Amino acid sequence: MTEKFQAFVVNEKDGQVDATLVQQDFTTLNTEGVIVKVAYSSLNFKDALATQAKTGVVRSYPLTLGIDLAGTVVTSNDSRFVKGDEVLATGYGLGVSAPGGLSHYQSIPGDWLVPLPAGLSLKESMVYGTAGFTAALAVEKINQNIAKNKQVLVTGASGGVGSIAIALLHKLGYEKIIAVSRKDAATDWLKTIGATEIITPDALIPEKIRPLAKQQFSGIIDTVGGDLLAALLPQLDYEGVAALCGNASGIKLNTTVLPFILRGIKVFGIDSVNQPMPMRQKIWNLLATDWKITSQLKVQEAPLYDVGAITQSLLAGKHEGRTIISM
């Protein structure tokens, strides 16, 4: 193969990080993997962080970014995949320690690839992307532990993970879905996808956070972390559940053991990166069938050359919904 192609690559020099489109050829691809012609990728907050210095996302430079992709197998040294197979990949080392999906072609280890489930197109799989996969893992924890008539609160509601979580909870029949967002312009949209109430983060954080507060929510899907999460855990119902899958407001959590030992709350950490393949296949099959909500989501489609501008929007907190990148 002699065809040239483009990739969105981040590099570092003298402490300065630069991310831009770079022309590459097939000699840059690892021939030991499965080479995929990428049809779609998507943009996540983690991709945006990877364009910045000292965020700890990228392990070594230069690196093609993009923590997910969907496309068609071109060549394969893995007996599980043949030319023409449609596949998707999220997490593992993509766009972090291994070249990622923001490229026209990419070489992927066979162990990282999920065969595209029936009922899902390549485009739809990236409408979900890592954000959708993460949201579904969090919703699965809520669904296993919280009754449909109980209140579930979702922070970072206008973002990719938050908005998909709301739509999934609505699909599953949850009757009281509280969206946490300070974006007034997103109110109507959030109600359209299933939110029954919109609350600003400030309304949930008291002047003084106490070890135990009035019980208000049975379930929490948190994409924010930081002070907001510290304020929410004491407000969980007895045997309430929190699924934690983000740290947009920081990684520190100042709390006490009292909600755990006096109210029996449970906190689940949601990791989308290293999920075992059986769970990946279970979740993707659900997203393709009983949990399918792609038609309800706010989706923008953009070309590869717009990635730089969109990552800046993500970092500035101005981005809503999902953006997929068409190759």
Side-chain angles (χ1 to χ4, degrees):
M1 295 180 181
T2 58
E3 182 181 347
K4 301 284 186 180
F5 61 90
Q6 289 187 312
F8 188 73
V9 175
V10 63
N11 208 348
E12 186 267 344
K13 185 177 181 181
D14 299 328
Q16 299 296 312
V17 171
D18 178 62
T20 188
L21 279 182
V22 173
Q23 184 166 275
Q24 298 185 329
D25 59 44
F26 281 86
T27 62
T28 64
L29 301 179
N30 182 356
T31 56
E32 294 180 2
V34 179
I35 296 180
V36 176
K37 183 177 183 180
V38 181
Y40 295 94
S41 184
S42 73
L43 286 181
N44 302 274
F45 188 67
K46 191 172 183 179
D47 298 313
L49 283 178
T51 67
Q52 306 298 294
K54 299 179 181 179
T55 58
V57 175
V58 175
R59 307 295 164 79
S60 63
Y61 298 96
L63 186 72
T64 298
L65 297 185
I67 60 173
D68 52 31
L69 63 80
T72 305
V73 172
V74 176
T75 64
S76 175
N77 289 317
D78 190 311
S79 60
R80 293 170 292 181
F81 301 97
V82 298
K83 182 177 180 180
D85 282 351
E86 292 185 320
V87 294
L88 65 92
T90 64
Y92 294 109
L94 282 176
V96 174
S97 58
L102 291 170
S103 176
H104 290 129
Y105 292 88
Q106 195 52 268
S107 177
I108 314 290
D111 287 343
W112 296 4
L113 290 173
V114 177
L116 186 73
L120 204 62
S121 69
L122 291 172
K123 182 175 181 177
E124 287 174 326
S125 74
M126 288 297 99
V127 168
Y128 291 128
T130 291
F133 181 60
T134 303
L137 289 167
V139 168
E140 174 79 343
K141 293 298 185 185
I142 297 296
N143 195 43
Q144 289 172 346
N145 292 277
I146 303 298
K148 301 291 195 301
N149 64 342
K150 300 295 185 179
Q151 289 201 113
V152 179
L153 181 141
V154 180
T155 68
S158 66
V161 175
S163 60
I164 295 175
I166 289 169
L168 285 171
L169 289 168
H170 179 65
K171 176 79 170 181
L172 292 176
Y174 281 85
E175 301 168 9
K176 302 172 185 177
I177 305 168
I178 302 170
V180 182
S181 175
R182 53 170 45 95
K183 296 179 180 177
D184 292 338
T187 296
D188 290 343
W189 163 56
L190 290 172
K191 289 183 176 179
T192 297
I193 61 174
T196 54
E197 185 179 353
I198 315 295
I199 299 179
T200 65
D202 296 337
L204 293 165
I205 303 178
E207 287 188 18
K208 182 178 181 181
I209 298 175
R210 300 183 181 279
L212 292 174
K214 181 181 178 181
Q215 299 177 46
Q216 299 198 71
F217 318 108
S218 292
I220 296 171
I221 294 177
D222 178 61
T223 71
V224 173
D227 291 342
L228 179 57
L229 178 60
L232 289 174
L233 291 179
Q235 300 180 55
L236 268 174
D237 291 346
Y238 189 81
E239 294 193 337
V241 168
L244 314 186
C245 52
N247 58 358
S249 288
I251 61 172
K252 292 184 178 180
L253 179 60
N254 184 16
T255 191
T256 75
V257 300
L258 292 188
F260 299 89
I261 62 176
L262 296 182
R263 290 183 178 165
I265 72 167
K266 303 180 186 69
V267 172
F268 293 100
I270 304 300
D271 169 52
S272 65
V273 175
N274 294 303
Q275 281 291 325
M277 188 56 69
M279 177 58 76
R280 288 178 183 272
Q281 292 174 330
K282 173 186 174 180
I283 293 296
W284 281 110
N285 284 328
L286 284 171
L287 289 172
T289 54
D290 295 347
W291 289 18
K292 189 171 184 179
I293 54 162
T294 47
S295 63
Q296 303 169 37
L297 301 176
K298 178 182 283 189
V299 183
Q300 306 169 51
E301 185 172 336
L304 189 58
Y305 58 75
D306 277 352
V307 167
I310 299 169
T311 56
Q312 293 306 307
S313 175
L314 278 162
L315 291 168
K318 298 178 180 179
H319 193 268
E320 294 180 359
R322 296 283 294 142
T323 294
I324 61 173
I325 303 302
S326 170
M327 304 301 166

